């Protein structure tokens, strides 16, 4: 398994995702989501800003990202994208 601890810090990712171009892309992506949403590789949950949090589960392998999202009130789970702990067809939209 790759060493994910060398990826971006929460602070760096917050800064990177705050650009107006990134925010516009997130809005456009969110507009395509319907029903229950699984956000795989959610990072710090920037997409969830534009989604109904009660209908969204954000998944990331980095525990500091998961902790950050939990503190933001985002329903989240630490999981590997290659081995998701959900049955098929559990979500209407997967991003």
């Amino acid at each position: 398994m790759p060493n994910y601890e060398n990826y971006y810090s929460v602070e760096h990712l917050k800064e990177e995702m705050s650009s107006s171009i990134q925010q516009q892309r997130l809005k456009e992506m969110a507009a395509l989501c319907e029903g229950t949403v699984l956000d795989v590789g959610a990072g710090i949950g920037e997409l969830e800003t534009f989604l109904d949090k009660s209908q969204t589960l954000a998944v990331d392998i980095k525990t500091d990202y998961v902790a950050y999202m939990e503190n933001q009130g985002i329903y989240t789970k630490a999981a590997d994208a290659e081995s998701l702990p959900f049955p098929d067809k559990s979500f209407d939209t997967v991003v």
Side-chain angles (χ1 to χ4, degrees):
M1 179 183 288
N3 179 2
Y4 291 101
E5 295 308 313
N6 294 329
Y7 280 35
Y8 293 131
S9 69
V10 169
E11 291 304 315
H12 184 255
L13 194 54
K14 282 172 47 178
E15 181 180 320
E16 184 177 284
M17 297 304 291
S18 68
S19 78
S20 60
I21 293 171
Q22 288 290 20
Q23 292 295 302
Q24 183 59 38
R25 288 180 182 155
L26 291 167
K27 285 180 190 176
E28 291 169 0
M29 189 183 306
L32 298 173
C33 296
E34 296 180 355
T36 56
V37 179
L38 176 63
D39 183 0
V40 180
I44 58 171
E46 290 296 314
L47 178 60
E48 283 64 26
T49 305
F50 303 101
L51 297 171
D52 178 352
K53 289 182 185 175
S54 70
Q55 294 291 307
T56 305
L57 174 60
V59 173
D60 206 283
I61 198 166
K62 283 197 62 156
T63 55
D64 57 334
Y65 289 178
V66 170
Y68 178 83
M69 288 187 284
E70 286 175 347
N71 288 333
Q72 301 301 309
I74 297 169
Y75 183 50
T76 186
K77 183 171 185 68
D80 187 332
E82 294 183 9
S83 181
L84 293 171
F86 312 109
D88 289 348
K89 300 183 182 184
S90 294
F91 300 89
D92 298 312
T93 304
V94 178
V95 292

